[in-house]
Amino acid sequence: MSDFSEELVRPTTEDEQGEPCVRSGSGMCFPWLQNHIESIASGGKQEKDFAQTTSACLSFIQEALLKHQWQRAAEYMHSYLQILEDTDSNKRQGAPEIIWRLGSEILYYHPKSNVETFNTFADRMKNIGITNYLKISLQHALYLLHHGLLEDANRILTQAETWRYGEKSSSQEVLITLIQAYKGLLQYYSWSKKKMELSQLDKDDYAYNTASQNMLNHSWKTSINLCALIQIPGVWDPFVKSYVEMLEFYGDRDGAREVLNNYAYDEKFPSNPNAHVYLYNFLKREKAPREKLISVLKILYQIVPSHKLMLEFHRLLRKSDKQEHHKLGLEVLFGILDFAGCTKNITAWKYLAKYLKQTLMGSHLAWVQEEWNSRKSWWPSFHFSYFWAKRNWKDDKTLACEKALVAGLLLGKGCKYFRYVSKQDHQVLKKKMKQMKKSVKKYSIVNSGL
Amino acid sequence: MDFPSSLPPSLFMTGPLGQSDVPDLSFMCSWRDALTLPASSPQGSQDRAPHVAKDLLWEPDMPGPLPLLPPGPDPWDPGLTAKDLLFRGGYQFRRHPRAVLDVTEQVSRFLWNHGDIAFAPLGRLLLENFKLEGAHSRSKTKTVVSVKRLLQDLGGHQPWGCPWAYLSQRQRRFSILGAPILSTSVASLLGELLHEELALRWERLLLDDVCTGGALAWVPGRTPGAGQLVYPVGSTMDTLCFQKVSLTPESEPQVLRDPGRIQLRGPVRQVVTRSVQGEALLAVRSDHHCALWKVSTQGQPAPLQVLQVDKGATGISLSPHLPGEMVICSRSGAVCLWSTEDGLRQIYKDPETLVFRDPSPWRWADFTAHPRVLTVGDRTGVKMVDTQGPPGCGLLLFRGGAEASCQKGERVLLTQHLGDLGPESLHPMLHLVCTQFSVYLVDERLPLVPLLKWNHGLRSAPLLARLLPPPRPGLPQPLLLAGQGGELQLLHLAGAGASMPRLAGLPQSLPTRSDSLSAFPLLEPKSHRKLQERLKAPTIGLAAVIPPPASTPVLSLFQLSAAGDVFYQRLHLQADPGPNAHDPAASWTPQATACCSRWLEALLEVPLAPPVWAAPTFSHRRLLGGFEPQKVEGPVPEGLRRAMAQGRLLQQRDLGLVPPEERPPVPEPGPEDELSERLEAAWEFGAAAWWERRRGGRVGPGKQPKRQKRRTQLSSTFSSLSGRVDLSDAVSPPPSPDRTVPEARPQPPRTPPSQELTQEPWAQGVPSERQQTLRDYMAELPLHADTPGGASTLSSQTPSIRATPLGQHAPQDGTFQQLPQGDTAEGATLPSSQTPSIRATPSRRHTPRDSMVQQLPRGDTPEGATPPSSQTPSILTTRSGSQRLRKKPRMGF
């Protein structure tokens, strides 16, 4: 065999499950390569009968699952368990994970399965594939949580929390932190339940004191559980939210602010829009100065210009005293309406029509032109086409009027959209139309350019 | 616009692909997203009943898709398979076999079939060393060989490639003299070119990305149920066909006559349609051209623009926002935006890949929720590029790396913007990213962190995806995923508005075209194989429509195969079916089988693809005038001829052979002959006693009972579900009284509990009246047949002599010659994996018949042996290309 063909196909890489997966010259891995090889490998070493039957059984289970034949899948699963006796240690070690994955899937969907069955299965699987103990525990707890069994879930998580096997790997550590955080979240639930009970109690009541004492104890435990996870880069929205709520309740505003600042601004974290939303909402509750709020939303604006908080951002900017904020206010409105999902947002169009007129009246034509220059090549066909004029008028006349005013101001009274809407005869909107025509005549940037 | 107020927890790790120390928190379970924690209070989770509408199913009307249109008149050739390209031996000592290209075999076939091309120039050079008939050479030097004698020596019947074949002295001398020149020069010149071509073909067999995106599209018409299917037809796929189809929820699709056709200049690879602001547009990608049409409401296409892409186009997309905007990607790494107003504009260019270095020139682009921002993708990642910003800048939307917990060797195969499909649909900021392992949903507003990951497990590359609007308000949206091999998967995506996108239930697999085989009438093997091949042709197009609302939503699915066949299937939605709803209800209707028979009749009328290799038309007789081929005389050919002349069966006595008188002796049963003992016992119904006797003497290994116990414990979990009488230990929950026992039969009382496990798989396909007998018999056998003896006897039965597989179909070009059909005598070979070099040397003997010396088809130059340049780039260019690539430092993961 020629030597140079060897370099085309690199040797088999064996991943943890021991599944053969061959990569081609480009480094790409093809899961279907094995079939090609099997189709030609008639001689040589063959798989044992046992391996053949188990792999056939596995594919039967997968097929049954994908056809939603839970009954059949469960029957095959029953047979597949023999893989735990495989003499091939590689396969035997990889088996528990496969069994857990498929088995939990079957038990979740099977019409006759119930929580007890799932519990029995999960408890056994945890101890067969010890390396999967933490993962299975976590998923088991989530399953119980989904079925409303908070106490059972808490018990599972507590068991898992103290579990150790061999040397602590980084993967284990992350999972344990996550398990602790979920436990913390469960404690938060019971805490918020107590908080609700407390709010219904009278402050002078004797019970109030014990209840509040209980809550204090809870919060201390919870904060330890939650804050470890929040330090690890990731998306931890539910954890951050509940942690901050508890900190706020006990008056630790600085702590809460620190957590939120860290969550929003730490470079190692993904740019999560919610992190900024949480921080903004916190500052708003704290009655922070407008300047501060604007600075938070400015960053959110850079990440998600289409966020629904942007309308609020515009209002804040409009109320500000600074010229640059007024300019940004216009930019924000244009930014929202750039997005396909926002084209029918009537509030945004209303704001834009009003603010555009106001800006032009305040003789800031340059601001408008700056925004318009990058959009004049595509906004007319994106927003102000004849198709949209007809459609908007049919669906939502108020929207059509607002858009027509913007179209008139930006494109002049000759534009299709404005002409179509202004030609329509409507009793209720008559006054508005007249006003619109007047404004366009007076302030349109096309007129002023002439 | 709404952003989910609380995202599911996920770990964010940066780094390369295949980091194993990071736990993959997505767990690959379909219901994980259903379990995301309620944000405010635990009350929310208690409200949700555990089994509410989590099982959503699109039930097919028929067991498989049916042909929509009669097959085209042109023959179709399935092309090369792994068998043609890979080395077939040498796996004995490998734990995991690997793919090795079989250049030797291909070279030897080429030398065999096109020996004149390979050896003619050398022959001319060596002419003075040969003595042809008639030429009187007085030279007494030992370097002159008489050709006549040589050929006479070769006249003996020597098996092809047999290393132990008899060699005459003359042949040996010739071999010693000629081998260094003949074998090394030809093999080295040819070998390298051939290897590159083979490598190219093999890569294409593994992943053929030219049809990414799909070449079948649905253009909606004026009424909701009517529309047109647009797809390529013809043997070279260069005619665009506009087939009008009308769909009704109740009946099969009606095909209207006289489809429109447009002849194009190259094979159509991708067809895209969009309706923007009431205007239907159609874009087509060919290898080096892209074209755009506007389709009127009557369905008439009017051309708008044709663009030429010199380096080859890899993908096109139409804008969902602005009518007539189109983005085109080229192999050079450039992405261009074309619009009616501005014309063509390059917006991005980078010959390098985004995340890490990967040699693939494949690029892809699509639109985003912002009409001026595009996604640009390659095999390593996806980037968002602002067309108005400075060139080249943008955020990565998806990174092939630890951020998405990608595996080693994972590559992006398709990205798609899941645009706005109505008010109740998914958020328009979502993008689909498909790799060979998983499907990811990514939100533009939260780049790098996939919101959903699903391990699709398809056995071929998922190059086609279609998202459909929700069939009814409030129901999840179907996302269809098609693998190149024909597999179809349907994902139910829920989460409109401000909620998280998630899987609503386990994805389901849909029937493939191969599943329709049962609808066709029984055929003789050759036609059956032809039909099977045809049904297995790669899927290159997918279109799906949900016609106007009916009582139950119906999904019409159309597939285009590489053979040019359009198949359709109807599926109806079954929301939350009961536990017994999954019986195999669908069966073939008489109309369906009639339709298949008609289609098959038309298919069998299609002529076979003409063989590329043709028998040589001239012989060496011209060169060797006085040479007469050896007359083979004897009783055998004589008898044969006589039998043929009389048109009767050839019998042994015709050949003059004496039939063997005595039969081979029956082997004496040895002292350890367990099998016959057991069989005898079984005949006498004493198998149980026999087994007890056997088992008495043997004790299993110590670990066995423990594992067995563990397994029985586990299996009880499932046995309680599979509705079987559970005799194992009492850990399993008590059986519920309402349990249905579909397959439970009275068990033989002696059955040990754990033996239930093995019962079902073998019982399938056995007549029911025999199942009981078999079951009784099996009950007496050891639980698993994992005794080493049993396994080895089976595997040792595989033949040690293999015939070189002969492809049933002629290859597409001269380089990949196969032997003609039925030519087994020459094709049969011994496994020569130990001595592979022997196969390449031209030292074997052969009958000097016509097949030895071949003539080239007319006008065929040595360069002509490379495939036609329209199909594949010429060898010279690929070689320079691949050399250039090899010089680059490799950084793949």
Side-chain angles (χ1 to χ4, degrees), chain A residues 1 23 29 32 66 68 79 85 105 107-109 124 145 185 189 235 237 274 278 306 340 374 381 385 388, chain B residues 1 4-5 7 10 30 37-38 54-55 101 206 277 369 388 409 436 506 508-509 582 711 713 731 893:
Chain A
M1 196 60 237
R23 296 199 285 162
C29 197
W32 48 88
L66 284 174
H68 292 209
S79 308
E85 286 165 52
E105 203 88 73
L107 290 181
Y108 182 79
Y109 290 107
R124 293 219 176 106
L145 205 62
L185 204 62
Y189 285 156
V235 177
D237 287 0
N274 280 342
Y278 297 160
S306 64
S374 60
S381 52
S385 64
W388 283 125
Chain B
M1 274 196 290
S5 62
L7 296 166
S10 69
S30 66
L37 296 160
K54 69 182 180 188
D55 192 7
L101 287 181
L206 282 177
Q277 301 190 6
Q388 292 177 328
Q436 67 269 49
L506 193 74
Q508 68 179 99
S509 68
H582 299 309
R711 200 189 77 203
Q713 281 182 347
V731 207
F893 298 102

Side-chain angles (χ1 to χ4, degrees), chain A residues 69-78 102-118 121 143, chain B residues 51 579-580 714-726 732-736 738-743:
Chain A
Q69 295 165 338
W70 319 122
Q71 182 81 16
R72 226 182 96 212
E75 276 160 28
Y76 281 122
M77 193 68 196
H78 200 264
L102 297 174
S104 61
E105 203 88 73
I106 295 170
L107 290 181
Y108 182 79
Y109 290 107
H110 199 289
K112 279 184 213 153
S113 123
N114 50 27
V115 179
E116 286 80 53
T117 329
F118 196 93
F121 179 61
Y143 177 89
Chain B
H51 287 287
N580 299 321
L714 259 180
S715 64
S716 64
T717 319
F718 284 93
S719 65
S720 71
L721 291 173
S722 47
R724 208 173 278 118
V725 184
D726 191 2
S732 65
S736 55
D738 60 335
R739 181 179 298 167
T740 53
V741 189
E743 280 145 353

Side-chain angles (χ1 to χ4, degrees), chain A residues 92-161:
Chain A
R92 203 172 55 230
Q93 276 159 19
E97 191 171 344
I98 300 172
I99 292 178
W100 166 248
R101 199 182 288 169
L102 297 174
S104 61
E105 203 88 73
I106 295 170
L107 290 181
Y108 182 79
Y109 290 107
H110 199 289
K112 279 184 213 153
S113 123
N114 50 27
V115 179
E116 286 80 53
T117 329
F118 196 93
N119 283 343
T120 323
F121 179 61
D123 285 338
R124 293 219 176 106
M125 285 315 295
K126 274 180 213 169
N127 294 314
I128 289 177
I130 23 174
T131 43
N132 298 314
Y133 188 93
L134 293 174
K135 270 191 184 183
I136 294 174
S137 296
L138 190 54
Q139 211 170 334
H140 187 191
L142 284 173
Y143 177 89
L144 293 171
L145 205 62
H146 180 61
H147 287 75
L149 302 163
L150 299 193
E151 271 167 36
D152 289 353
N154 194 30
R155 184 174 48 80
I156 298 289
L157 291 173
T158 317
Q159 273 171 16
E161 193 183 15

Side-chain angles (χ1 to χ4, degrees), chain B residues 175-189:
Chain B
S175 168
I176 291 166
L177 278 175
I181 305 163
L182 291 176
S183 63
T184 51
S185 60
V186 173
S188 62
L189 282 171

Side-chain angles (χ1 to χ4, degrees), chain B residues 537-566:
Chain B
T539 306
I540 57 163
L542 180 72
V545 197
I546 298 183
S551 52
T552 51
V554 174
L555 193 154
S556 293
L557 188 69
F558 300 93
Q559 308 175 37
L560 175 70
S561 81
D565 302 322
V566 180

